[in-house]
Amino acid sequence: MDYYIGIDIGTSKVKSVLFDAAFNERQIASAANVAETSGAGYAEQDMAALWDGVLSTLTRLARSPLLRQGRLKAIGLTGQGEGVWLSDRHGAPIRRAILWSDTRTARRVEQIKQDATLEAALFAETGSPPLPCNSSMLLSWLARHQPQTLRAAHHFFFAKDWVRFRLTGKANLEFTDAGTSLLDLRRETLSETVLDALDLRPYRHLFPPLLGSREIAGALSDDIAALTGLPPGTPVGAGALDVSAAALGIGAVRDGDIFTILGTTCCTGIVCRGLDRVSPKTRFVAHAWPQHYLNLFAMQSGTPNIDWALAQLAGNADFEQLGARISRIAPGSDGVFYQPYLNGERAPFYSPGARAGFFGIGQHTTNDHLLRAVFEGLAYAIHDALADSPAAGDLYIAGGGAASPWWLQIIADCTGRQVIASPTKELSARGAAMLAALALGEQIVPSDLAGGDGRLTFTPHPRAHRAYQTLFPVFRQLRDQLQPLWQARRQALNMLSEQGTHP
């Protein structure tokens, strides 16, 4: 039997997943990643440690009896978007990777946003407003504050592109990743506005040639084959940005399809054909499916809200017990709201100073009310992203949160949409494997592969949906009225820091 491997370079984990020819998940190997953060908003990752994780996961798959009895046809890649991954000419890291969650550029972003003409020009070309996560902004920060780092580098990469370079020895960028903030999407070339406005023209040589998602980028080198046990010369596909690959993996390829990835960033995407239906409240990126784009609402923090709530409020309850406890609380958590903005927000509104919080606590509020409110807060945020979209249309769910049926029911009740969860857990890796097969010339219809008896469907409960419809305007009013308070808090903390009295 023929097999494909999809490698997903995530923020918290590297996963290599073995798929059969029908793209059914057959084996998963994972390794933990560690993000190093600081109070100054820095978020970085050790590239060498991540590479060790890639090798260990591939080695485990190479030992699979399935691969020993079958044939590995190709390897595909996907991964966390944006950030800065710099290497020398051989692929050795120049510094730790700067991640998409890094906010060191927030002050520079605010300066650019004061120039409405420049902000509009950047959005028109790249599809992204200025945001701290943008690779373009992070490179601009390095050019101003650490120019020696850029002078020492030979290549700029995104996460999966650097890993692919290490696997094949071929240096390339790829369209969906580079299109997050660096490309003129209509011309499909580096944005001249970005290069000039952000002082990056001296570093143009750092950007390797651009590939499309459905191209073969190279072949597994003899050295890496010997290290992992995989067949040398195995074709390696160009791959795609994680959200673009996940949309492909879940079958969201038709105009108007909607999906949400319940991951580190809770990301909601609306598939559109062409660039004429893009919301100015967010950004657009290229889909892995040809001639399609994603109108993307990528929150700054998704499941980290859940991680915090479980650590602080859930005691020793496992996830199944937690579901039983939360289900006993009525929809709306008796008027308790949670704002899921642990580290600022970028869609559908921009506020680097935004922070999470509870509203509506009374003397009868329990931990279970607070816990349910956290899950509801993320469901409200998904509904917030879709507020300007047609009410019709199913909502496809991917990511780790898709394993929680009671949370999926909350999302269905809150959004009023039928929620569909795929039995395949690693949908970004699945999309990467499908792209590798397409690059080999295989004929694939993603929407045909999205079905199956294993899919879970959640239909809104009318009474619960009515409750959330009544409460959602309060959630929206809260985030609007909190914005000046978030800004005042940020200014006060900056003053304390300057005075040396902030701990």
Side-chain angles (χ1 to χ4, degrees), residues 102-114 119 128-134 137 280-283 297-300 341 343-355 384 479-480 482-484 486-487 490:
D102 194 287
T103 59
R104 72 185 70 188
T105 67
R107 185 170 297 179
R108 176 64 174 143
V109 169
E110 290 175 0
Q111 292 173 349
I112 291 176
K113 285 183 174 293
Q114 292 171 8
E119 182 178 17
S128 177
L131 295 169
C133 61
N134 290 358
M137 297 302 307
K281 296 181 181 179
T282 182
R283 59 201 310 199
F297 297 83
M299 292 178 61
Q300 190 70 16
Y341 313 124
N343 191 31
E345 189 51 285
R346 54 183 178 173
F349 67 96
Y350 174 72
S351 175
R355 286 299 179 267
D384 197 5
R479 63 102 150 158
D480 291 341
L482 280 169
Q483 294 214 38
W486 287 329
Q487 181 64 20
R490 191 179 181 200

Side-chain angles (χ1 to χ4, degrees), residues 176-456:
T176 61
D177 250 326
T180 51
S181 68
L182 293 172
L183 299 185
D184 181 330
L185 287 183
R186 289 173 175 82
R187 293 184 173 88
E188 300 187 359
T189 60
L190 284 171
S191 164
E192 299 299 325
T193 301
V194 167
L195 293 175
D196 289 333
L198 302 182
D199 304 318
L200 296 180
R201 192 165 291 282
Y203 306 104
R204 185 171 189 153
H205 65 280
L206 294 178
F207 303 104
L210 195 65
L211 291 176
S213 300
R214 301 203 301 174
E215 293 187 58
I216 292 295
L220 193 68
S221 71
D222 292 345
D223 289 345
I224 302 303
L227 283 173
T228 60
L230 293 173
T234 300
V236 178
L241 172 68
D242 55 1
V243 292
S244 300
L248 179 64
I250 204 169
V253 296
R254 295 166 295 251
D255 191 43
D257 279 352
I258 301 169
F259 67 95
T260 293
I261 302 172
L262 299 176
T264 305
T265 171
C266 184
C267 183
T268 296
I270 304 167
V271 179
C272 53
R273 188 174 179 87
L275 298 172
D276 57 342
R277 285 172 39 210
V278 174
S279 168
K281 296 181 181 179
T282 182
R283 59 201 310 199
F284 56 91
V285 300
H287 198 317
W289 197 239
Q291 285 80 54
H292 286 72
Y293 295 83
L294 299 175
N295 203 357
L296 208 62
F297 297 83
M299 292 178 61
Q300 190 70 16
S301 296
T303 54
N305 290 280
I306 306 302
D307 297 337
W308 175 86
L310 294 179
Q312 303 300 325
L313 302 172
N316 296 319
D318 61 30
F319 221 60
E320 186 173 339
Q321 292 172 326
L322 184 63
R325 286 167 49 179
I326 283 177
S327 297
R328 289 194 288 268
I329 304 297
S333 302
D334 289 347
V336 176
F337 293 85
Y338 175 77
Q339 298 89 45
Y341 313 124
L342 282 176
N343 191 31
E345 189 51 285
R346 54 183 178 173
F349 67 96
Y350 174 72
S351 175
R355 286 299 179 267
F358 290 101
F359 174 82
I361 294 174
Q363 70 180 91
H364 300 296
T365 301
T366 67
N367 273 8
D368 290 353
H369 287 90
L370 300 180
L371 283 164
R372 183 178 179 102
V374 172
F375 288 93
E376 289 178 337
L378 286 165
Y380 282 132
I382 295 169
H383 187 44
D384 197 5
L386 297 172
D388 297 329
S389 302
D394 296 337
L395 176 58
Y396 295 90
I397 298 288
S404 171
W406 43 269
W407 190 14
L408 297 183
Q409 187 61 57
I410 288 174
I411 293 171
D413 293 340
C414 186
T415 62
R417 298 174 185 270
Q418 180 172 261
V419 165
I420 300 170
S422 168
T424 301
K425 296 179 181 178
E426 306 301 335
L427 287 160
S428 291
R430 186 183 198 233
M434 293 167 72
L435 284 170
L438 287 164
L440 292 179
E442 300 292 340
Q443 299 298 310
I444 298 172
V445 181
S447 55
D448 291 346
L449 296 175
D453 295 336
R455 292 201 310 174
L456 299 176

Side-chain angles (χ1 to χ4, degrees), residues 137-156:
M137 297 302 307
L138 292 166
L139 284 166
S140 181
W141 186 93
L142 287 171
R144 289 188 173 202
H145 300 281
Q146 296 180 11
Q148 70 281 3
T149 299
L150 294 181
R151 287 195 294 267
H154 193 79
H155 295 300
F156 161 84

